[in-house]
């Protein structure tokens, strides 16, 4: 029997195929196989140059970044070691020396 993907909306495993669409009986969400492939491809986090990033990578900041709620600035060229990738609009979790824990957008870093 064919293994069907879980629902991307509610993560239910009870999906079924209706023609070219997948349907979730729990939340009534419908999606196509192309949507599933696009979502998997979108899950790859890339830096400003298009290089894929992974947990534990070292990156360099390519733009001065103001720190919200503080007068500190993360300067261009700041090296950030041992990054963690997370979901959300800020997709990098890290610690920066002298500033502390931060979340960064991958568009403002490049892989070293």
């Amino acid at each position: 029997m064919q293994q069907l993907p879980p629902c991307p909306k509610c993560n239910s495993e009870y999906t079924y195929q209706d023609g070219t669409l997948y349907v979730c009986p729990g939340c009534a969400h419908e999606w196509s196989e192309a949507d599933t492939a696009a979502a998997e491809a979108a899950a790859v986090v890339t830096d400003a140059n298009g290089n894929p990033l992974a947990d534990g990578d070292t990156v360099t900041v390519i733009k001065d970044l103001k720190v919200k709620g503080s007068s500190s600035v993360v300067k261009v060229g700041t090296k950030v070691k041992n990054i963690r990738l997370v979901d959300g609009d800020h997709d990098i979790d890290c610690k920066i020396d002298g500033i502390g824990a931060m979340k960064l957008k991958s568009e403002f870093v490049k892989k070293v």
Side-chain angles (χ1 to χ4, degrees):
M1 187 159 159
Q2 179 185 5
Q3 180 67 25
L4 298 175
C7 175
K9 194 169 186 180
C10 70
N11 211 21
S12 172
E13 61 186 28
Y14 302 111
T15 58
Y16 64 91
Q17 194 166 6
D18 184 22
T20 60
L21 294 176
Y22 295 113
V23 181
C24 175
C27 68
H29 180 66
E30 297 180 356
W31 71 100
S32 68
E33 194 169 335
D35 294 341
T36 304
E40 289 174 1
V44 175
V45 177
T46 58
D47 68 358
N49 295 332
N51 299 319
L53 296 173
D55 285 342
D57 281 348
T58 300
V59 295
T60 303
V61 178
I62 62 168
K63 177 182 176 184
D64 282 348
L65 302 172
K66 294 180 184 177
V67 179
K68 265 190 181 173
S70 173
S71 61
S72 302
V73 175
V74 179
K75 295 284 189 182
V76 172
T78 302
K79 200 177 265 191
V80 182
K81 298 178 184 176
N82 198 21
I83 64 169
R84 290 175 305 283
L85 301 179
V86 295
D87 291 334
D89 60 338
H90 290 74
D91 40 18
I92 297 175
D93 238 355
C94 62
K95 276 188 177 177
I96 298 178
D97 292 337
I99 296 176
M102 284 198 64
K103 292 186 178 227
L104 299 173
K105 290 187 177 185
S106 59
E107 62 196 60
F108 298 121
V109 299
K110 71 176 183 178
K111 192 172 183 178
V112 175

